[in-house]
């Protein structure tokens, strides 16, 4: 069975068929860098880190690209409050974000690309969309005319009628309420000169400018939190496919479930956000990663100190069991098939089976837990060096997909 991945675009699991050793072009939406990131971000980025690690485990080469949104109204507003230059402020929070990801053990992102470095590409895309008659200019900026892209709504499962009721970006100069901005005119704050007046790009166009520059007109996987499906990812598909005429823009759309605390979504605006750096003063990265891996990436994760402590105890006992196995001296003897080798083969095959089933980390983690228990019991038996070392390597290789040991 090849790897199956749930595709938000088709709402079903589909096989990911690509030859072994091939490259996976993988894009994940990065944060708007106007503040520190919180555990809600950690939930998403750890999930995609595990997915990227597993793709490597399964023999693919992952080219993992992330955008950094350093052009945004929220950022301009915050910079104004702090009397700082928006791009300087963005760089400070970008560094803090990268430190946080590193501290969480997320090290496989190949490149981070800032929106502000892609203004020429963004302008070229906007100009093409206007030339094609899909985007139009008003006195406030440039807008994508949703009616001109009949497939709009496919990712979020909305009809054109439903979309007509949506009020995106209130602005009286738009032709239709559902149209979204590609460029907004601004006379103050962060802005660039353009054929459509001084201003700055809309949010959605930065992703298509960055991903098309790096990956070309179509690529393999795009990830993000499920709250980004509409309008952000819907708009990305519309922009890219209208620009290039190639479809699908992205083969697999992958979305993570929410993080909630005390029954509410964790978010900065609700005032219940726990910064990653504060959480890391209390829990290790391995404990947080273990906890998140015990939920499927599409599931909603409820977080509490009680639940985190329980997870950290489970991780402790897994470690203890594996250490007990490692510490048992092996005896010199020629390699032979033992109960141990069969046990490892079965564990590896189950691990792959579950991870191949839309990255079912809770079940794959259970395989590792049960393997650690059996290894600890086996440690007391007489094991030959070769088989014992092979078992240790196999266990660590699987644990490394989660980044927990
Ligand atoms: Zn994005």
């Amino acid at each position: 069975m090849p790897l199956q991945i749930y595709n938000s675009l088709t709402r079903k699991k589909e096989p990911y068929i690509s030859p072994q050793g091939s490259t996976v072009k993988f894009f994940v939406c990065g944060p708007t860098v106007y503040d520190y990131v919180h555990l809600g971000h950690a939930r998403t980025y750890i999930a995609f880190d595990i997915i990227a690690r597993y793709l490597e485990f399964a023999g693919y080469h992952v080219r993992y690209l992330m955008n950094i949104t350093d052009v945004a109204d929220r950022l301009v507003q915050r910079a104004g409050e702090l009397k700082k230059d928006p791009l300087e402020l963005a760089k400070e929070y970008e560094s803090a974000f990268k430190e946080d990801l590193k501290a969480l053990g997320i090290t496989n992102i190949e490149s981070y690309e800032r929106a502000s470095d892609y203004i020429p590409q963004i302008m070229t895309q906007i100009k093409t969309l206007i030339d094609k008659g899909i985007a139009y200019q008003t006195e406030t900026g440039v807008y994508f005319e949703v009616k001109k892209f009949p497939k709009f709504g496919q990712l979020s499962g909305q009809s054109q009628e439903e979309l007509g009721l949506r009020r995106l970006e209130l602005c009286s100069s738009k032709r239709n309420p559902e149209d979204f901005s590609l460029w907004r005119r601004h006379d103050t704050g962060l802005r660039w000169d353009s054929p459509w007046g001084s201003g700055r790009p809309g949010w959605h166009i930065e992703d298509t400018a960055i991903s098309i520059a790096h990956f070309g007109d179509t690529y393999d996987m795009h990830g993000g939190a499920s709250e980004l499906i509409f309008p952000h990812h819907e708009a990305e598909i519309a922009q890219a496919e209208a620009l290039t005429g190639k479809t699908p823009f992205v083969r697999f759309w992958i979305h993570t479930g929410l993080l909630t605390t005390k029954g509410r979504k964790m978010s900065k605006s609700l005032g219940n956000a726990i910064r990653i750096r504060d959480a890391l003063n209390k829990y290790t990265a391995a404990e947080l990663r273990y906890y998140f891996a015990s939920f499927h990436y599409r599931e909603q994760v409820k977080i509490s100190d009680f639940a985190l402590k329980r997870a950290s105890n489970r991780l402790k006992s897994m470690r203890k069991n594996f250490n007990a196995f490692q510490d048992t001296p092996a005896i010199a003897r020629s390699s032979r098939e033992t109960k141990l080798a069969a046990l490892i083969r079965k564990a590896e095959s189950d691990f792959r089976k579950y991870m191949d089933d839309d990255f079912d980390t809770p079940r794959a983690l259970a395989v590792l837990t049960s393997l650690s228990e059996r290894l600890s019991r086996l440690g007391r038996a007489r094991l030959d060096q070769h088989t014992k070392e092979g078992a240790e390597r196999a266990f660590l290789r699987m644990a490394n997909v989660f980044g927990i040991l």
Side-chain angles (χ1 to χ4, degrees):
M1 269 287 266
L3 169 63
Q4 303 275 324
I5 306 173
Y6 182 86
N7 188 353
S8 304
L9 187 62
T10 55
R11 290 172 198 81
K12 60 173 196 260
K13 284 183 202 171
E14 290 175 22
Y16 183 78
I17 301 164
S18 265
Q20 276 279 312
S22 62
T23 296
V24 181
K25 291 176 180 172
F26 187 35
F27 181 93
V28 173
C29 283
T32 302
V33 278
Y34 73 113
D35 202 343
Y36 292 103
V37 283
H38 56 73
L39 280 179
H41 299 101
R43 186 269 184 279
T44 292
Y45 296 130
I46 287 173
F48 288 119
D49 179 66
I50 292 174
I51 288 175
R53 282 172 187 241
Y54 181 68
L55 291 169
E56 293 274 353
F57 176 97
Y60 296 107
H61 168 61
V62 182
R63 272 187 67 195
Y64 189 162
L65 173 66
M66 184 179 282
N67 67 311
I68 297 286
T69 302
D70 63 349
V71 179
D73 293 348
R74 281 179 294 182
L75 168 68
V76 173
Q77 195 188 334
R78 187 92 203 277
E81 287 160 13
L82 299 170
K83 299 196 174 20
K84 283 190 167 182
D85 175 69
L87 290 181
E88 284 308 309
L89 183 68
K91 276 190 188 138
E92 288 171 27
Y93 284 119
E94 180 190 320
S95 304
F97 170 65
K98 288 177 180 168
E99 278 166 24
D100 288 345
L101 289 197
K102 200 172 162 208
L104 286 173
I106 298 172
T107 52
N108 50 16
I109 300 168
E110 200 176 271
S111 56
Y112 294 93
E113 301 297 332
R114 297 181 191 125
S116 64
D117 290 333
Y118 286 80
I119 302 297
Q121 290 89 337
I122 289 171
M123 285 192 198
T124 304
Q125 291 195 344
I126 296 174
K127 188 178 175 304
T128 309
L129 289 170
I130 294 174
D131 292 347
K132 289 189 165 201
I134 291 158
Y136 59 90
Q137 188 184 349
T138 74
E139 70 269 20
T140 59
V142 180
Y143 297 89
F144 186 100
E145 189 160 14
V146 164
K147 283 193 174 71
K148 299 271 173 73
F149 186 75
K151 273 159 65 186
F152 199 85
Q154 59 177 349
L155 183 67
S156 55
Q158 299 177 87
S159 66
Q160 289 285 327
E161 292 73 50
E162 284 170 308
L163 289 165
L165 301 172
R166 290 276 198 166
R167 297 280 180 275
L168 289 182
E169 308 178 59
L170 288 175
C171 168
S172 57
S173 79
K174 292 197 298 185
R175 288 183 191 162
N176 313 291
E178 68 272 25
D179 296 348
F180 58 87
S181 67
L182 299 171
W183 189 266
R184 288 297 290 265
R185 291 183 70 152
H186 290 279
D187 300 325
T188 55
L190 187 59
R191 63 193 190 281
W192 289 264
D193 288 330
S194 86
W196 320 288
S198 152
R200 50 182 183 263
W203 173 31
H204 319 307
I205 193 87
E206 71 178 80
D207 287 22
T208 43
I210 292 170
S211 62
I212 289 176
H214 287 262
F215 290 163
D217 293 347
T218 62
Y219 63 94
D220 304 303
M221 296 180 195
H222 188 317
S226 50
E227 60 196 337
L228 299 184
I229 292 176
F230 187 86
H232 186 49
H233 293 162
E234 196 83 76
E236 269 193 62
I237 295 175
Q239 292 165 166
E241 294 189 4
L243 269 170
T244 67
K246 290 188 189 136
T247 181
F249 167 48
V250 173
R251 285 166 67 199
F252 283 87
W253 285 88
I254 307 172
H255 291 103
T256 51
L258 277 183
L259 179 79
T260 62
T261 174
K262 295 181 182 139
R264 299 175 83 194
K265 178 191 155 187
M266 185 177 285
S267 86
K268 187 175 139 55
S269 55
L270 290 174
N272 61 358
I274 300 165
R275 289 175 179 173
I276 290 174
R277 43 194 59 205
D278 296 334
L280 284 170
N281 284 329
K282 228 166 151 182
Y283 301 97
T284 64
E287 286 166 338
L288 292 172
R289 296 180 66 102
Y290 182 98
Y291 184 68
F292 289 131
S294 67
F295 293 84
H296 190 269
Y297 74 88
R298 286 193 280 125
E299 253 186 297
Q300 181 178 306
V301 176
K302 293 178 191 165
I303 206 160
S304 66
D305 273 319
F306 177 74
L308 272 165
K309 277 188 192 113
R310 255 182 35 195
S312 100
N313 285 337
R314 279 196 225 112
L315 176 61
K316 261 188 211 108
S317 76
M318 182 195 282
R319 277 211 179 110
K320 205 172 127 229
N321 286 331
F322 182 63
N323 290 342
F325 174 75
Q326 275 189 312
D327 293 344
T328 313
I331 54 161
R333 193 163 58 181
S334 65
S335 167
R336 63 177 179 87
E337 274 301 275
T338 61
K339 195 177 163 191
L340 177 62
L343 185 69
I344 292 292
R345 267 204 311 277
K346 172 85 171 90
E348 277 182 321
S349 132
D350 286 347
F351 178 83
R352 290 188 81 118
K353 179 175 79 188
Y354 294 134
M355 289 302 281
D356 278 345
D357 182 12
D358 193 29
F359 311 109
D360 193 343
T361 55
R363 294 172 85 179
L365 199 56
V367 169
L368 216 53
T369 303
S370 123
L371 178 62
S372 74
E373 286 160 5
R374 300 187 68 172
L375 285 180
S376 125
R377 287 199 292 272
L378 257 179
R380 285 175 233 125
R382 292 154 62 85
L383 301 167
D384 71 279
Q385 186 83 25
H386 183 80
T387 319
K388 183 167 179 284
E389 281 173 6
E392 286 174 11
R393 275 197 303 275
F395 186 88
L396 288 172
R397 228 166 78 77
M398 288 187 276
N400 187 47
V401 168
F402 301 122
I404 50 173
L405 284 187

